[in-house]
Amino acid sequence: MLHPEAAPNPAHRLLAALEREGKLDMIITQNIDGLHQQAGSTRVQELHGSIHRNHCLDCGKSFALSDIMGSKDMVPRCTACGGVIKPDVVLYGEMLDDKVIHESIEAIEKSDLLIIGGTSLTVHPAAGLVGYFGGSRSVLINISTTPYDHKAGLLVTEPIGAVMAEVAARLNLMI
């Protein structure tokens, strides 16, 4: 679950560049790795949380990823009270954050273009968010087929990193 050496790919960097230019309103992601923020995006809804935020289940003390990575225990323990430290990620059986879901739905409903990338669209409730899009322009970029392929205005079945690198090149964007 922890891969601190991971780096943003061309998709992350292009989305951050589009946000800086005022052409992207929000990123909604199921990823917990923080790579969108590392690439420079600031308007990111993390449906499943983030490994970069951690807290003690007993006293609530916050911990950075570096604190967790430095732990010698299999289950990290709080330095203040000895309680278990849990990452701010949604684990199986846990509910998604209502505020994050609401803000994501609102953004999707207001969108005039929806770009969906790098997802099989099989994990619910996240996959169901696509149904809130009422616009007429949608792009689906995924290397394998998804249950929503037939609904996409433009379907691209290639690796998202390669596709976004090509888009950036055609837009003359430095990513």
Side-chain angles (χ1 to χ4, degrees):
M1 188 163 96
L2 301 177
H3 299 280
E5 72 285 351
N9 69 27
H12 299 106
R13 293 191 301 271
L14 174 60
L15 294 173
L18 292 172
E19 181 183 324
R20 283 190 300 275
E21 292 194 1
K23 297 177 181 175
L24 178 76
D25 291 330
M26 184 177 291
I27 295 169
I28 302 166
T29 183
Q30 295 179 87
N31 296 335
I32 60 173
D33 53 24
L35 293 178
H36 286 291
Q37 293 89 334
Q38 190 177 337
S41 293
T42 60
R43 294 186 296 258
V44 180
Q45 290 294 334
E46 296 170 308
L47 295 174
H48 294 160
S50 173
I51 60 169
H52 294 278
R53 296 182 304 271
N54 302 272
H55 67 278
C56 174
L57 292 175
D58 291 340
C59 73
K61 182 177 177 179
S62 295
F63 293 88
L65 177 60
S66 58
D67 297 325
I68 304 307
M69 295 301 296
S71 174
K72 293 182 180 22
D73 297 322
M74 178 66 111
V75 175
R77 295 287 180 168
C78 179
T79 54
C81 75
V84 172
I85 299 172
K86 179 190 180 295
D88 179 25
V89 297
V90 177
L91 301 175
Y92 290 104
E94 295 180 336
M95 299 296 293
L96 300 182
D97 183 277
D98 284 338
K99 182 179 182 223
V100 172
I101 291 291
H102 175 74
E103 290 177 7
S104 298
I105 289 171
E106 188 175 281
I108 291 169
E109 287 176 331
K110 291 180 180 177
S111 296
D112 60 355
L113 169 65
L114 182 65
I115 301 170
I116 305 162
T119 176
S120 64
L121 290 171
T122 57
V123 177
H124 287 274
L129 295 177
V130 176
Y132 289 96
F133 179 63
S136 59
R137 299 180 305 155
S138 62
V139 179
L140 177 53
I141 307 165
N142 199 56
I143 196 163
S144 59
T145 60
T146 79
Y148 292 86
D149 287 1
H150 67 283
K151 294 182 179 187
L154 174 61
L155 177 63
V156 181
T157 53
E158 300 289 332
I160 190 168
V163 170
M164 295 303 236
E166 178 67 21
V167 169
R170 289 183 185 225
L171 294 175
N172 292 319
L173 289 174
M174 297 299 297
I175 60 168

